[in-house]
Amino acid sequence: MIRLPLAACLVALATPAAANKIFVSNEKGNTITVIDGDTWEVLEEFPAGNRPRGITISPDGTKVYVCASDDDLVRVFDAETYEELYTLPSGPDPELFVLAHSGNPLYIANEDDNLVTVTDTETRSIIAEIPVGVEPEGMGISADGAYVVNTSETTNMAHFISTETYEIENNVLVDQRPRYAQYTEDGTRLYVSSEIGGTVSVMDIAEDGTPTLVDKITFEVPGVLPEWLQPVGVKVTADGSRVFVALGPANRVAVVDGETLEVLDYIIVGQRVWQLAFTPDEQYLITTNGNSNDVTVIDVEAEEAIRSIEVGQQPWGVVVQPDMDGDTEDAT
């Protein structure tokens, strides 16, 4: 009998991790494009209802949630088979949402009726409807899960909602048309992008969750008209050292120093860059480019674009499966 060295046995027994899948919602194509996170090849494109925009994934990586805005509901898909499992009630015109860290409930911005809808993902029922400002858009959740933040596009405010009482506890005025709210991983800071105002508002967050507006980040690119510099998606590295901001029709992602708030660089990507998502190891940042129908892959350490991948028609949102424990086939 041939005996293998111990190291070889361990290698033989180890199950290689599957690639993290990337899911992209195509707003005009009414589909979701699935990309392999290792090869960057498109694996599938499947129907996702009418006008899919906001997209997220369950903490265990098995279910993909999609705001089907023109269907007035959230569609839930199996992340492996891409089959639709069921729908969740959302209120009219859901655009963006955020899951509680546990995966339940789901907090949904309903743009047309000025509400944030709270939906139980297990009972598939609405728990609460919270009146907010006019045209609610962005949703963010604090590190401890005690607050969700909604941005109202027309009221130009960030509303801080207690997840215990479902009541607004603080309102902060920001610049015109706030689109996205992103906490740092440690929960001590919040960034809110304002598309028409052309700024990102920076708030320090106290231990009790109280926000204080401390600064505003502005942008300037030689040769690009100021009105084209429209901040939308925002992502922050886990250590808070870098903030990446999608600048819409400027076709660039701004790189901001998380300590000094100085804009360090602008990365050229596809046309009308909208939303952003990190891979779990933060090695790459994925951008959706609505007018060029592609996504750009950015090398985070090098702070440069390394490839473009064609997807469906007018890509809007993007989410990457989290890494999963155990021997589950698909890492997320």
Side-chain angles (χ1 to χ4, degrees):
M1 180 177 66
I2 299 174
R3 296 185 181 275
L4 295 175
L6 177 60
C9 291
L10 291 175
V11 170
L13 291 171
T15 301
N20 301 89
K21 292 180 182 177
I22 299 157
F23 295 87
V24 177
S25 61
N26 301 304
E27 179 181 11
K28 195 169 183 181
N30 297 329
T31 61
I32 303 297
T33 300
V34 188
I35 300 169
D36 185 292
D38 272 350
T39 65
W40 305 114
E41 294 179 355
V42 172
L43 300 173
E44 186 66 83
E45 185 173 337
F46 62 88
N50 292 301
R51 202 183 181 193
R53 291 192 285 176
I55 185 168
T56 191
I57 198 161
S58 58
D60 65 3
T62 62
K63 297 182 182 70
V64 179
Y65 298 84
V66 179
C67 284
S69 296
D70 285 355
D71 294 332
D72 297 335
L73 50 76
V74 172
R75 298 188 182 277
V76 184
F77 298 90
D78 187 297
E80 174 62 21
T81 66
Y82 316 131
E83 294 180 3
E84 184 171 324
L85 301 173
Y86 48 84
T87 63
L88 296 173
S90 71
D93 195 18
E95 184 164 353
L96 271 171
F97 49 19
V98 65
L99 269 172
H101 299 307
S102 66
N104 191 31
L106 184 65
Y107 303 93
I108 309 164
N110 296 121
E111 188 172 22
D112 282 355
D113 68 353
N114 309 333
L115 293 175
V116 167
T117 299
V118 186
T119 298
D120 189 304
T121 58
E122 295 178 358
T123 64
R124 306 175 198 173
S125 61
I126 292 175
I127 301 171
E129 292 181 325
I130 306 162
V132 290
V134 179
E135 288 190 280
E137 165 87 7
M139 297 296 302
I141 187 164
S142 62
D144 60 6
Y147 290 91
V148 291
V149 177
N150 168 251
T151 64
S152 55
E153 290 186 65
T154 301
T155 309
N156 300 330
M157 278 188 174
H159 309 288
F160 291 75
I161 302 166
S162 167
T163 57
E164 182 177 355
T165 65
Y166 301 135
E167 294 182 355
I168 295 175
E169 294 196 357
N170 288 285
N171 293 298
V172 178
L173 185 68
V174 294
D175 286 334
Q176 286 181 281
R177 203 172 186 186
R179 297 302 297 258
Y180 203 83
Q182 180 66 57
Y183 278 92
T184 55
E185 190 165 295
D186 64 7
T188 62
R189 178 162 281 181
L190 177 74
Y191 297 91
V192 175
S193 63
S194 294
E195 182 182 13
I196 302 303
T199 65
V200 173
S201 295
V202 184
M203 302 177 203
D204 282 345
I205 308 298
E207 288 187 6
D208 65 357
T210 303
T212 301
L213 182 64
V214 295
D215 210 340
K216 289 184 181 179
I217 303 168
T218 59
F219 307 93
E220 184 177 351
V221 180
V224 176
L225 295 174
E227 56 266 33
W228 290 358
L229 297 166
Q230 299 178 9
V232 187
V234 180
K235 289 298 174 187
V236 187
T237 55
D239 63 4
S241 65
R242 289 290 184 272
V243 183
F244 294 88
V245 182
L247 294 178
N251 305 336
R252 285 163 171 81
V253 171
V255 183
V256 179
D257 186 301
E259 183 175 347
T260 67
L261 303 180
E262 176 189 0
V263 179
L264 303 175
D265 201 0
Y266 296 95
I267 303 169
I268 297 177
V269 293
Q271 297 174 21
R272 202 217 69 172
V273 55
W274 208 243
Q275 300 292 349
L276 310 170
F278 284 118
T279 54
D281 58 7
E282 292 188 357
Q283 185 176 357
Y284 302 107
L285 180 70
I286 316 300
T287 82
T288 55
N289 312 315
N291 287 348
S292 51
N293 296 330
D294 64 349
V295 301
T296 300
V297 181
I298 293 173
D299 183 309
V300 172
E301 184 177 2
E303 296 176 0
E304 65 179 14
I306 60 171
R307 69 174 63 230
S308 171
I309 304 165
E310 185 177 348
V311 291
Q313 195 172 5
Q314 201 165 323
W316 196 98
V318 57
V319 69
V320 183
Q321 282 184 315
D323 288 325
M324 298 195 313
D325 298 326
D327 57 359
T328 306
E329 182 176 348
D330 278 322
T332 59

